[in-house]
Amino acid sequence: MKHIAVMGYGTIGSGVVEVLERNKEIIAKRVGDEVDVKYVLDLREFPGDPAEDKIVHDFSVIEKDQSVSMVVETMGGLNPAYPFVKACLKAGKHVATSNKALVAAYGTELLEIAKEHHVNFFFEASVGGGIPVIRPLYTSLAGEVVEEITGILNGTTNFILTKMDKAGETFETALREAQDLGYAERNPEADVEGHDTCRKIAILTAMATGHEVNYEHIYTEGITKITDVDFRYADAMGTSVKLFGSSRIQDGTVHAFVVPVMIGKDHPLYSVNDVYNGILVKGNMLGTSMFYGCGAGKLPTASAVVADIIEALNNQGRHVEMGWDRENLTISSMSSSSFRYFVRIKGIADKRVKEVEAVFGKVEVVELDHMDEFAVLTETMTEQEYEIKAKKLPGIRQRIRAELVTV
């Protein structure tokens, strides 16, 4: 029997215990032995819960028990997750985590410690919930030079944007609905300001390049400035607005960013709606592959954690080479990234279009009925070029980066 411990008995932790019980036969077959949850670490008591007799409050019980060969971290945050995970790896225990904040902040160090102690630090569930994307990057796509990763990586923001798109809701109304349904926290900042997506694209970029990525170097912009009026224009143009985490890698240059992007119906991510995630990975030989599914949720995310448990237990005493090294990857300035731009401008199009084209060059004009403004779609230019030109044009009310072609 293989003994494991689960640290944190919230949504994901309880999901891991449930998956291990419900799928115990197939898991035992894949591992070659029964997998038993010996301890569940949490500050709370859970009277009447199936895991009631497994609850412990002292981390050292898990750390010192040599029969526990695998630990699952689903507490979230950095403290005490970081010191607890570090201690488990040093004690010769495999660790699987769903904690993207931990992986983004301390992944390099924890991977090194795991290698040093001949154990594994796995984190499939830290990106994309139940969608397999981390493991394919170091197995199925191991022979590829990854040129781009672009994804809708946060189910909460995608739900909000979908409601604004399909139901005409305002950002505030859609956010309240997401909170009422449990998709968004009472404090939704990590989601709506793009921080969650930023950490995930940092992890994916590190996996793709093999080098450490500092998520704080990735330009990040959330969805709080997107309005229902933007979606009225998008509908007229046959487009939609999605929050993208994107990393584009070419000739040693890496552009990584998190921004709302206006995309057309021909884009593979156009139809990724509600709480679902979609991730495009472009390799130099394979071309573009798409990973799609539940980007969050109790059982989908727990399923990804259990896959890590199986791989770790099948590699007892052996470190699986994956992840990245300590060399810090340079992220290019956002000013050198290129887009087309959707720009809303105060005034009447017929009266201002020549003025606009004198600044931006040739543009496509979009008008809505009964508005004291119009919008244009520019040609491709760098962020720096846009900022310089925009300063010359009074009355700009909104700007959204646009990408109207497939990856």
Side-chain angles (χ1 to χ4, degrees):
M1 182 177 289
K2 305 290 187 184
H3 296 292
I4 73 168
V6 175
M7 300 192 299
Y9 199 57
T11 300
I12 308 305
S14 61
V16 171
V17 174
E18 182 177 342
V19 172
L20 288 170
E21 176 59 29
R22 288 173 60 176
N23 289 355
K24 62 183 177 181
E25 291 182 6
I26 188 65
I27 293 167
K29 184 177 180 180
R30 298 277 163 78
V31 173
D33 207 345
E34 185 179 347
V35 178
D36 170 64
V37 178
K38 189 172 183 179
Y39 303 114
V40 174
L41 179 71
D42 205 287
L43 293 174
R44 300 162 293 175
E45 300 288 351
F46 294 87
D49 190 275
E52 178 182 8
D53 61 344
K54 303 175 187 292
I55 299 292
V56 296
H57 307 299
D58 182 0
F59 166 70
S60 67
V61 172
I62 295 171
E63 181 186 14
K64 294 175 181 177
D65 189 335
Q66 295 183 3
S67 73
V68 174
S69 57
M70 174 97 206
V71 177
V72 171
E73 185 277 304
T74 53
M75 294 181 290
L78 298 179
N79 190 27
Y82 166 59
F84 284 5
V85 167
K86 187 175 179 179
C88 288
L89 293 171
K90 287 187 172 182
K93 305 178 191 298
H94 301 291
V95 174
T97 182
S98 60
N99 188 342
K100 86 280 294 183
L102 175 69
V103 179
Y106 294 107
T108 306
E109 178 189 3
L110 297 172
L111 284 164
E112 288 179 345
I113 294 171
K115 184 175 183 178
E116 180 184 347
H117 290 84
H118 308 291
V119 292
N120 292 289
F121 176 60
F122 289 145
F123 42 88
E124 179 64 66
S126 68
V127 178
I131 304 171
V133 65
I134 298 292
R135 188 165 286 104
L137 284 172
Y138 70 87
T139 56
S140 308
L141 302 178
E144 290 288 319
V145 175
V146 176
E147 297 177 336
E148 179 170 349
I149 300 176
T150 294
I152 295 170
L153 300 170
N154 183 277
T156 300
T157 53
N158 204 42
F159 175 85
I160 292 169
L161 292 175
T162 299
K163 285 295 179 181
M164 294 175 71
D165 186 6
K166 307 300 182 185
E169 295 182 6
T170 64
F171 169 80
E172 291 76 15
T173 300
L175 172 58
R176 282 196 300 272
E177 187 172 346
Q179 289 172 325
D180 291 342
L181 291 170
Y183 296 146
E185 302 289 342
R186 289 298 110 188
N187 179 1
E189 180 180 353
D191 294 324
V192 299
E193 295 293 354
H195 304 316
D196 178 82
T197 298
C198 174
R199 284 165 173 78
K200 291 173 180 176
I201 196 63
I203 294 167
L204 291 175
T205 304
M207 287 295 303
T209 62
H211 302 305
E212 180 181 61
V213 174
N214 186 335
Y215 67 90
E216 294 179 337
H217 294 169
I218 295 176
Y219 178 87
T220 301
E221 189 177 304
I223 65 169
T224 55
K225 295 179 182 178
I226 303 299
T227 71
D228 53 325
V229 175
D230 295 323
F231 277 102
R232 289 177 59 195
Y233 279 108
D235 181 62
M237 298 165 64
T239 65
S240 188
V241 180
K242 305 289 188 181
L243 183 68
F244 276 5
S246 186
S247 181
R248 304 178 182 206
I249 307 153
Q250 190 171 20
D251 301 326
T253 300
V254 180
H255 290 94
F257 47 81
V258 175
V259 294
V261 180
M262 183 174 281
I263 58 174
K265 293 180 180 179
D266 58 349
H267 196 289
L269 297 177
Y270 177 89
S271 59
V272 178
N273 292 316
D274 296 313
V275 294
Y276 285 88
N277 283 192
I279 307 166
L280 298 174
V281 179
K282 182 180 179 183
N284 67 331
M285 297 291 114
L286 175 66
T288 302
S289 296
M290 180 169 173
F291 301 84
Y292 170 83
C294 293
K298 179 178 180 176
L299 296 180
T301 305
S303 175
V305 175
V306 170
D308 281 348
I309 293 171
I310 293 170
E311 182 169 8
L313 294 178
N314 282 332
N315 285 280
Q316 203 65 32
R318 175 178 174 268
H319 176 73
V320 176
E321 286 294 335
M322 57 86 70
W324 52 86
D325 61 28
R326 189 166 284 277
E327 180 183 338
N328 193 267
L329 190 70
T330 299
I331 304 296
S332 298
S333 169
M334 186 62 175
S335 64
S336 62
S337 295
S338 295
F339 303 89
R340 299 180 77 185
Y341 292 86
F342 164 82
V343 188
R344 286 169 48 195
I345 303 166
K346 182 179 179 180
I348 306 300
D350 287 344
K351 295 180 178 180
R352 296 203 64 188
V353 67
K354 289 184 178 179
E355 178 189 2
V356 172
E357 290 191 330
V359 172
F360 285 125
K362 185 175 176 58
V363 296
E364 298 176 28
V365 178
V366 187
E367 295 180 90
L368 299 177
D369 293 336
H370 311 300
M371 298 289 286
D372 65 342
E373 64 172 53
F374 63 101
V376 300
L377 187 65
T378 74
E379 295 295 305
T380 301
M381 64 186 74
T382 66
E383 190 91 349
Q384 183 178 40
E385 289 170 335
Y386 170 80
E387 294 295 344
I388 291 171
K389 292 178 179 182
K391 291 177 181 177
K392 300 176 182 178
L393 188 68
I396 290 179
R397 291 180 168 176
Q398 174 68 297
R399 177 270 283 128
I400 302 174
R401 297 164 185 86
E403 179 181 89
L404 301 183
V405 294
T406 57
V407 176

